[in-house]
Amino acid sequence: MSRARLLHQLRLLVDRDALHALLVAASACVLSLGLVYVGYVLHVWRVARNAPCAPARGDCVLLFGKHAPGGRLDADFQARLARAATLWDARAPRSLLLLGGGPQGAPTEAALAREALLARGIAADAPLLLEDRSRDTLQNLRNARALLAQSTGVPVGQVTLLSSRYHLARCALLAGHLGLDWELCAAEPALSWRPTTWWRIAGEAAYLCWTDVGMRWARLIGH
């Protein structure tokens, strides 16, 4: 993990409200004997398993980047790019937002995605929009929403969220809270049964539990 990425995650962990939410979510898991967390695992798994590969609308596609140390794209990032290229060949969207920043002095995830898509045959004049200042999924979506508000010809709020299957539940949760009208598009043809996939599902479930329980608690206490 790069130093810049580590510092970004540490800043999130020392935020008082984030720690408050983490404490409440952990308490809910302990008091329920782990059932609350298991519920989130099942939710992430169901979303990952059932997400379609072909969006119903697909007019505005948000392609989520992924950490690429040294500019090296891993298998997950490559799968997302391959799906975006497939969608483009089948029915080119009116706009394709490439999401993801990067450490200072290094290519951003959005720039790497654009380069890779051009190498896959997408025309140089394609309507590719780069959101290259975000470092996590929430920032991805916030910045994308701002870009959409400034663009023309795109139905406000209607977006297709394209990412790895294990990541889609997080994308959907945050997009919904930001007021976006979303649909999902999975990068992979089907959910893999590899141990690494289940490790990522477990991690995403923990993140969703932290975020969702924390937001519900904040509404309850009027924070």
Side-chain angles (χ1 to χ4, degrees):
M1 181 183 296
S2 69
R3 182 173 180 271
R5 185 176 181 82
L6 178 61
L7 290 175
H8 173 72
Q9 294 182 350
L10 289 175
R11 281 194 294 269
L12 295 178
L13 288 174
V14 299
D15 179 82
R16 288 179 57 189
D17 291 333
L19 290 175
H20 183 177
L22 179 60
L23 178 61
V24 172
S27 299
C29 290
V30 171
L31 293 174
S32 68
L33 301 180
L35 290 178
V36 168
Y37 174 68
V38 171
Y40 282 99
V41 171
L42 292 175
H43 172 68
V44 174
W45 171 72
R46 282 196 297 265
V47 172
R49 182 192 63 178
N50 297 329
C53 295
R57 298 190 297 258
D59 291 327
C60 178
V61 177
L62 272 58
L63 173 61
F64 289 84
K66 193 169 183 292
H67 185 46
R72 297 184 298 273
L73 311 185
D74 66 8
D76 289 344
F77 205 160
Q78 293 284 7
R80 299 176 192 185
L81 293 166
R83 179 63 59 194
T86 299
L87 294 182
W88 188 270
D89 292 337
R91 190 187 71 178
R94 282 188 283 180
S95 60
L96 178 56
L97 273 69
L98 311 179
L99 309 178
Q104 187 173 6
T108 64
E109 296 168 15
L112 291 170
R114 182 179 186 277
E115 181 180 347
L117 289 173
L118 294 177
R120 288 175 178 269
I122 290 183
D125 60 350
L128 302 179
L129 301 176
L130 273 64
E131 183 289 298
D132 55 7
R133 296 189 177 186
S134 57
R135 300 309 306 273
D136 56 48
T137 306
L138 179 58
Q139 290 180 357
N140 286 160
L141 289 165
R142 278 178 172 165
N143 294 348
R145 184 178 62 175
L147 284 174
L148 286 175
Q150 299 171 4
S151 65
T152 58
V154 177
V156 176
Q158 291 188 356
V159 293
T160 300
L161 310 176
L162 196 169
S163 192
S164 304
R165 287 183 176 272
Y166 61 81
H167 185 226
L168 289 175
R170 183 202 300 207
C171 299
L173 174 72
L174 297 176
H177 280 292
L178 289 173
L180 296 172
D181 178 13
W182 55 266
E183 64 175 349
L184 299 179
C185 179
E188 309 89 345
L191 181 63
S192 169
W193 290 90
R194 293 177 300 174
T196 53
T197 300
W198 286 98
W199 175 253
R200 289 193 175 278
I201 286 176
E204 290 293 319
Y207 179 86
L208 253 68
C209 181
W210 178 9
T211 306
D212 192 36
V213 172
M215 286 190 290
R216 292 172 186 272
W217 175 252
R219 287 196 296 268
L220 180 65
I221 65 175
H223 193 286

